[in-house]
Amino acid sequence: MTDVRVPSRSRAPERGAGESEAPHVATSEQAEGSRPWPVRVPTGPDAMRIAGYGITIFGLVVVAYAVYLFAGSRLEYGRSQRQLMHALSARLAAGRAPLGGRISDGTPVAVLEIPHLHLRVAVIEGTSGSLLRKGPGHLRTSPLPGQRGSSVLIGRRVGFGGPFRNLGDLRKGDVIRTITGEGRSTYVVSSVRSAKSDGTNVLGKSPGNRLALVTSSPEVRAQRRLVVTATLRSTPVLTPFGRSTEV
């Protein structure tokens, strides 16, 4: 049998004495890879297409927010009101509704009834933005409705049920009723006006047993707000010791 030798592939071919190593010539692919790729700025139809995508996404975000504000938030508000009404009814029946002193934020403190607006809602303690998602809030530096002095309730006009959205429809002489742990009280509207948003004293300096309902202005401007002032017609109930009678 003849011995056949297979040359090894790992060995480079031998060069002669007069041969020199050929210089390495870069291919076009290698040459292009060594240079930075130019940045292509979209122009014409491409730019219009990208702008169209951005406008579409922005429009979808706005629509989704509007749906939540006017539909989803209303459901959240309705659920909160049912829970608050149930809790307050139980406390009123047991004689344990809060009357004054330090009341925890979010605690239901009163029922507000406005027959002209077909409104009946639970009022909670506190007026922060998150609390007003549940319903109108009682300004903690004022007495509770029905007590001697001037009480202030603040509510949303838009979103989360908008309990005070029709507040501007009230007129002088309209009746407002409240229910607290001290009983029922009746107020009669004396004025409906626009006021500046700075400060919390929306009742002025004149004394009296009054109720102020405050919301944003009809124009939804941050600089103005709508204030309905009502005068207490029923006998004022006692204001607990330590509770302010003025805002």
Side-chain angles (χ1 to χ4, degrees), residues 14-38:
E14 296 180 359
R15 297 185 180 88
E19 295 181 0
S20 61
E21 184 177 355
H24 175 72
V25 179
T27 63
S28 59
E29 292 82 359
Q30 292 172 331
E32 291 178 0
S34 63
R35 293 188 305 234
W37 289 97

PDB file of all heavy atoms in Angstrom, residues 14-38:
ATOM      1  N   GLU A  14       5.250  28.031   2.216  1.00  0.00           N
ATOM      2  CA  GLU A  14       6.598  28.563   2.358  1.00  0.00           C
ATOM      3  C   GLU A  14       6.869  29.570   1.268  1.00  0.00           C
ATOM      4  O   GLU A  14       6.427  29.432   0.125  1.00  0.00           O
ATOM      5  CB  GLU A  14       7.609  27.421   2.284  1.00  0.00           C
ATOM      6  CG  GLU A  14       7.454  26.432   3.427  1.00  0.00           C
ATOM      7  CD  GLU A  14       8.476  25.317   3.330  1.00  0.00           C
ATOM      8  OE1 GLU A  14       9.253  25.333   2.364  1.00  0.00           O
ATOM      9  OE2 GLU A  14       8.509  24.467   4.239  1.00  0.00           O
ATOM     10  N   ARG A  15       7.581  30.638   1.630  1.00  0.00           N
ATOM     11  CA  ARG A  15       7.949  31.664   0.683  1.00  0.00           C
ATOM     12  C   ARG A  15       9.428  31.498   0.348  1.00  0.00           C
ATOM     13  O   ARG A  15      10.229  31.026   1.147  1.00  0.00           O
ATOM     14  CB  ARG A  15       7.726  33.065   1.265  1.00  0.00           C
ATOM     15  CG  ARG A  15       6.275  33.356   1.593  1.00  0.00           C
ATOM     16  CD  ARG A  15       6.160  34.810   2.042  1.00  0.00           C
ATOM     17  NE  ARG A  15       4.767  35.128   2.364  1.00  0.00           N
ATOM     18  CZ  ARG A  15       4.220  34.947   3.542  1.00  0.00           C
ATOM     19  NH1 ARG A  15       4.955  34.438   4.514  1.00  0.00           N
ATOM     20  NH2 ARG A  15       2.951  35.276   3.747  1.00  0.00           N
ATOM     21  N   GLY A  16       9.746  31.925  -0.829  1.00  0.00           N
ATOM     22  CA  GLY A  16      11.145  31.884  -1.225  1.00  0.00           C
ATOM     23  C   GLY A  16      11.949  32.950  -0.542  1.00  0.00           C
ATOM     24  O   GLY A  16      11.407  33.847   0.116  1.00  0.00           O
ATOM     25  N   ALA A  17      13.238  32.875  -0.735  1.00  0.00           N
ATOM     26  CA  ALA A  17      14.115  33.834  -0.081  1.00  0.00           C
ATOM     27  C   ALA A  17      13.880  35.229  -0.575  1.00  0.00           C
ATOM     28  O   ALA A  17      14.005  36.198   0.154  1.00  0.00           O
ATOM     29  CB  ALA A  17      15.602  33.422  -0.309  1.00  0.00           C
ATOM     30  N   GLY A  18      13.507  35.356  -1.872  1.00  0.00           N
ATOM     31  CA  GLY A  18      13.336  36.700  -2.431  1.00  0.00           C
ATOM     32  C   GLY A  18      11.936  37.235  -2.292  1.00  0.00           C
ATOM     33  O   GLY A  18      11.670  38.353  -2.735  1.00  0.00           O
ATOM     34  N   GLU A  19      11.059  36.438  -1.735  1.00  0.00           N
ATOM     35  CA  GLU A  19       9.666  36.875  -1.623  1.00  0.00           C
ATOM     36  C   GLU A  19       9.472  37.615  -0.312  1.00  0.00           C
ATOM     37  O   GLU A  19      10.028  37.242   0.701  1.00  0.00           O
ATOM     38  CB  GLU A  19       8.718  35.683  -1.675  1.00  0.00           C
ATOM     39  CG  GLU A  19       8.739  34.963  -3.003  1.00  0.00           C
ATOM     40  CD  GLU A  19       7.765  33.793  -3.026  1.00  0.00           C
ATOM     41  OE1 GLU A  19       7.109  33.583  -1.983  1.00  0.00           O
ATOM     42  OE2 GLU A  19       7.663  33.107  -4.037  1.00  0.00           O
ATOM     43  N   SER A  20       8.702  38.647  -0.375  1.00  0.00           N
ATOM     44  CA  SER A  20       8.347  39.399   0.845  1.00  0.00           C
ATOM     45  C   SER A  20       6.859  39.287   1.063  1.00  0.00           C
ATOM     46  O   SER A  20       6.089  39.029   0.128  1.00  0.00           O
ATOM     47  CB  SER A  20       8.764  40.870   0.702  1.00  0.00           C
ATOM     48  OG  SER A  20       8.086  41.456  -0.388  1.00  0.00           O
ATOM     49  N   GLU A  21       6.479  39.529   2.313  1.00  0.00           N
ATOM     50  CA  GLU A  21       5.058  39.407   2.690  1.00  0.00           C
ATOM     51  C   GLU A  21       4.260  40.517   2.013  1.00  0.00           C
ATOM     52  O   GLU A  21       4.615  41.691   2.074  1.00  0.00           O
ATOM     53  CB  GLU A  21       4.901  39.527   4.204  1.00  0.00           C
ATOM     54  CG  GLU A  21       3.463  39.304   4.649  1.00  0.00           C
ATOM     55  CD  GLU A  21       3.348  39.359   6.151  1.00  0.00           C
ATOM     56  OE1 GLU A  21       4.410  39.469   6.801  1.00  0.00           O
ATOM     57  OE2 GLU A  21       2.218  39.288   6.667  1.00  0.00           O
ATOM     58  N   ALA A  22       3.193  40.138   1.321  1.00  0.00           N
ATOM     59  CA  ALA A  22       2.365  41.127   0.609  1.00  0.00           C
ATOM     60  C   ALA A  22       1.615  41.993   1.609  1.00  0.00           C
ATOM     61  O   ALA A  22       1.145  41.499   2.623  1.00  0.00           O
ATOM     62  CB  ALA A  22       1.371  40.396  -0.318  1.00  0.00           C
ATOM     63  N   PRO A  23       1.560  43.283   1.333  1.00  0.00           N
ATOM     64  CA  PRO A  23       0.833  44.166   2.269  1.00  0.00           C
ATOM     65  C   PRO A  23      -0.647  43.822   2.303  1.00  0.00           C
ATOM     66  O   PRO A  23      -1.222  43.433   1.286  1.00  0.00           O
ATOM     67  CB  PRO A  23       1.059  45.572   1.691  1.00  0.00           C
ATOM     68  CG  PRO A  23       1.337  45.347   0.235  1.00  0.00           C
ATOM     69  CD  PRO A  23       2.062  44.033   0.152  1.00  0.00           C
ATOM     70  N   HIS A  24      -1.236  43.996   3.506  1.00  0.00           N
ATOM     71  CA  HIS A  24      -2.656  43.666   3.705  1.00  0.00           C
ATOM     72  C   HIS A  24      -3.515  44.794   3.134  1.00  0.00           C
ATOM     73  O   HIS A  24      -3.333  45.974   3.459  1.00  0.00           O
ATOM     74  CB  HIS A  24      -2.946  43.503   5.202  1.00  0.00           C
ATOM     75  CG  HIS A  24      -4.411  43.288   5.484  1.00  0.00           C
ATOM     76  ND1 HIS A  24      -5.038  42.113   5.185  1.00  0.00           N
ATOM     77  CD2 HIS A  24      -5.327  44.118   6.029  1.00  0.00           C
ATOM     78  CE1 HIS A  24      -6.301  42.208   5.535  1.00  0.00           C
ATOM     79  NE2 HIS A  24      -6.509  43.439   6.056  1.00  0.00           N
ATOM     80  N   VAL A  25      -4.418  44.428   2.261  1.00  0.00           N
ATOM     81  CA  VAL A  25      -5.321  45.400   1.654  1.00  0.00           C
ATOM     82  C   VAL A  25      -6.707  45.201   2.263  1.00  0.00           C
ATOM     83  O   VAL A  25      -7.271  44.106   2.199  1.00  0.00           O
ATOM     84  CB  VAL A  25      -5.385  45.211   0.114  1.00  0.00           C
ATOM     85  CG1 VAL A  25      -6.358  46.222  -0.496  1.00  0.00           C
ATOM     86  CG2 VAL A  25      -4.000  45.374  -0.481  1.00  0.00           C
ATOM     87  N   ALA A  26      -7.254  46.255   2.887  1.00  0.00           N
ATOM     88  CA  ALA A  26      -8.570  46.152   3.533  1.00  0.00           C
ATOM     89  C   ALA A  26      -9.655  46.086   2.481  1.00  0.00           C
ATOM     90  O   ALA A  26      -9.597  46.774   1.463  1.00  0.00           O
ATOM     91  CB  ALA A  26      -8.793  47.355   4.445  1.00  0.00           C
ATOM     92  N   THR A  27     -10.601  45.240   2.706  1.00  0.00           N
ATOM     93  CA  THR A  27     -11.759  45.143   1.804  1.00  0.00           C
ATOM     94  C   THR A  27     -12.652  46.353   2.019  1.00  0.00           C
ATOM     95  O   THR A  27     -12.518  47.092   2.990  1.00  0.00           O
ATOM     96  CB  THR A  27     -12.552  43.865   2.082  1.00  0.00           C
ATOM     97  OG1 THR A  27     -13.057  43.931   3.414  1.00  0.00           O
ATOM     98  CG2 THR A  27     -11.671  42.630   1.925  1.00  0.00           C
ATOM     99  N   SER A  28     -13.597  46.510   1.111  1.00  0.00           N
ATOM    100  CA  SER A  28     -14.504  47.659   1.224  1.00  0.00           C
ATOM    101  C   SER A  28     -15.363  47.546   2.473  1.00  0.00           C
ATOM    102  O   SER A  28     -15.656  48.532   3.133  1.00  0.00           O
ATOM    103  CB  SER A  28     -15.398  47.736  -0.024  1.00  0.00           C
ATOM    104  OG  SER A  28     -16.165  46.543  -0.168  1.00  0.00           O
ATOM    105  N   GLU A  29     -15.767  46.312   2.862  1.00  0.00           N
ATOM    106  CA  GLU A  29     -16.570  46.128   4.059  1.00  0.00           C
ATOM    107  C   GLU A  29     -15.790  46.515   5.297  1.00  0.00           C
ATOM    108  O   GLU A  29     -16.304  47.164   6.218  1.00  0.00           O
ATOM    109  CB  GLU A  29     -17.053  44.688   4.177  1.00  0.00           C
ATOM    110  CG  GLU A  29     -18.076  44.270   3.122  1.00  0.00           C
ATOM    111  CD  GLU A  29     -17.416  43.882   1.812  1.00  0.00           C
ATOM    112  OE1 GLU A  29     -16.171  43.953   1.739  1.00  0.00           O
ATOM    113  OE2 GLU A  29     -18.158  43.538   0.868  1.00  0.00           O
ATOM    114  N   GLN A  30     -14.499  46.103   5.361  1.00  0.00           N
ATOM    115  CA  GLN A  30     -13.678  46.421   6.513  1.00  0.00           C
ATOM    116  C   GLN A  30     -13.414  47.931   6.590  1.00  0.00           C
ATOM    117  O   GLN A  30     -13.407  48.522   7.654  1.00  0.00           O
ATOM    118  CB  GLN A  30     -12.357  45.666   6.457  1.00  0.00           C
ATOM    119  CG  GLN A  30     -12.527  44.156   6.641  1.00  0.00           C
ATOM    120  CD  GLN A  30     -11.238  43.413   6.383  1.00  0.00           C
ATOM    121  OE1 GLN A  30     -10.413  43.876   5.586  1.00  0.00           O
ATOM    122  NE2 GLN A  30     -11.058  42.284   7.050  1.00  0.00           N
ATOM    123  N   ALA A  31     -13.217  48.551   5.433  1.00  0.00           N
ATOM    124  CA  ALA A  31     -12.965  49.982   5.420  1.00  0.00           C
ATOM    125  C   ALA A  31     -14.172  50.767   5.905  1.00  0.00           C
ATOM    126  O   ALA A  31     -14.062  51.717   6.654  1.00  0.00           O
ATOM    127  CB  ALA A  31     -12.580  50.430   4.002  1.00  0.00           C
ATOM    128  N   GLU A  32     -15.340  50.318   5.461  1.00  0.00           N
ATOM    129  CA  GLU A  32     -16.551  51.006   5.896  1.00  0.00           C
ATOM    130  C   GLU A  32     -16.809  50.797   7.380  1.00  0.00           C
ATOM    131  O   GLU A  32     -17.309  51.670   8.069  1.00  0.00           O
ATOM    132  CB  GLU A  32     -17.748  50.518   5.091  1.00  0.00           C
ATOM    133  CG  GLU A  32     -17.697  50.962   3.634  1.00  0.00           C
ATOM    134  CD  GLU A  32     -18.881  50.428   2.842  1.00  0.00           C
ATOM    135  OE1 GLU A  32     -19.709  49.729   3.450  1.00  0.00           O
ATOM    136  OE2 GLU A  32     -18.974  50.702   1.639  1.00  0.00           O
ATOM    137  N   GLY A  33     -16.465  49.592   7.892  1.00  0.00           N
ATOM    138  CA  GLY A  33     -16.687  49.308   9.299  1.00  0.00           C
ATOM    139  C   GLY A  33     -15.800  50.134  10.211  1.00  0.00           C
ATOM    140  O   GLY A  33     -16.119  50.349  11.367  1.00  0.00           O
ATOM    141  N   SER A  34     -14.667  50.594   9.715  1.00  0.00           N
ATOM    142  CA  SER A  34     -13.758  51.371  10.548  1.00  0.00           C
ATOM    143  C   SER A  34     -14.169  52.830  10.653  1.00  0.00           C
ATOM    144  O   SER A  34     -13.640  53.563  11.454  1.00  0.00           O
ATOM    145  CB  SER A  34     -12.338  51.285   9.983  1.00  0.00           C
ATOM    146  OG  SER A  34     -12.303  51.869   8.681  1.00  0.00           O
ATOM    147  N   ARG A  35     -15.140  53.269   9.796  1.00  0.00           N
ATOM    148  CA  ARG A  35     -15.597  54.652   9.845  1.00  0.00           C
ATOM    149  C   ARG A  35     -16.938  54.741  10.554  1.00  0.00           C
ATOM    150  O   ARG A  35     -17.744  53.826  10.445  1.00  0.00           O
ATOM    151  CB  ARG A  35     -15.742  55.196   8.418  1.00  0.00           C
ATOM    152  CG  ARG A  35     -14.409  55.320   7.688  1.00  0.00           C
ATOM    153  CD  ARG A  35     -14.644  56.039   6.389  1.00  0.00           C
ATOM    154  NE  ARG A  35     -15.671  55.365   5.601  1.00  0.00           N
ATOM    155  CZ  ARG A  35     -15.505  54.963   4.347  1.00  0.00           C
ATOM    156  NH1 ARG A  35     -14.344  55.147   3.756  1.00  0.00           N
ATOM    157  NH2 ARG A  35     -16.487  54.384   3.694  1.00  0.00           N
ATOM    158  N   PRO A  36     -17.213  55.838  11.292  1.00  0.00           N
ATOM    159  CA  PRO A  36     -18.530  55.982  11.939  1.00  0.00           C
ATOM    160  C   PRO A  36     -19.630  56.147  10.902  1.00  0.00           C
ATOM    161  O   PRO A  36     -19.452  56.833   9.896  1.00  0.00           O
ATOM    162  CB  PRO A  36     -18.355  57.249  12.788  1.00  0.00           C
ATOM    163  CG  PRO A  36     -17.263  58.016  12.107  1.00  0.00           C
ATOM    164  CD  PRO A  36     -16.328  56.986  11.533  1.00  0.00           C
ATOM    165  N   TRP A  37     -20.755  55.476  11.195  1.00  0.00           N
ATOM    166  CA  TRP A  37     -21.889  55.572  10.282  1.00  0.00           C
ATOM    167  C   TRP A  37     -22.506  56.957  10.368  1.00  0.00           C
ATOM    168  O   TRP A  37     -22.682  57.490  11.442  1.00  0.00           O
ATOM    169  CB  TRP A  37     -22.939  54.512  10.623  1.00  0.00           C
ATOM    170  CG  TRP A  37     -22.516  53.126  10.281  1.00  0.00           C
ATOM    171  CD1 TRP A  37     -21.974  52.223  11.129  1.00  0.00           C
ATOM    172  CD2 TRP A  37     -22.594  52.497   9.013  1.00  0.00           C
ATOM    173  NE1 TRP A  37     -21.691  51.052  10.481  1.00  0.00           N
ATOM    174  CE2 TRP A  37     -22.072  51.192   9.164  1.00  0.00           C
ATOM    175  CE3 TRP A  37     -23.024  52.914   7.764  1.00  0.00           C
ATOM    176  CZ2 TRP A  37     -21.991  50.305   8.102  1.00  0.00           C
ATOM    177  CZ3 TRP A  37     -22.950  52.017   6.713  1.00  0.00           C
ATOM    178  CH2 TRP A  37     -22.432  50.727   6.877  1.00  0.00           C
ATOM    179  N   PRO A  38     -22.853  57.550   9.269  1.00  0.00           N
ATOM    180  CA  PRO A  38     -23.481  58.879   9.315  1.00  0.00           C
ATOM    181  C   PRO A  38     -24.883  58.805   9.928  1.00  0.00           C
ATOM    182  O   PRO A  38     -25.595  57.835   9.733  1.00  0.00           O
ATOM    183  CB  PRO A  38     -23.536  59.294   7.837  1.00  0.00           C
ATOM    184  CG  PRO A  38     -23.537  57.999   7.076  1.00  0.00           C
ATOM    185  CD  PRO A  38     -22.696  57.053   7.889  1.00  0.00           C
TER     186      PRO A  38
END
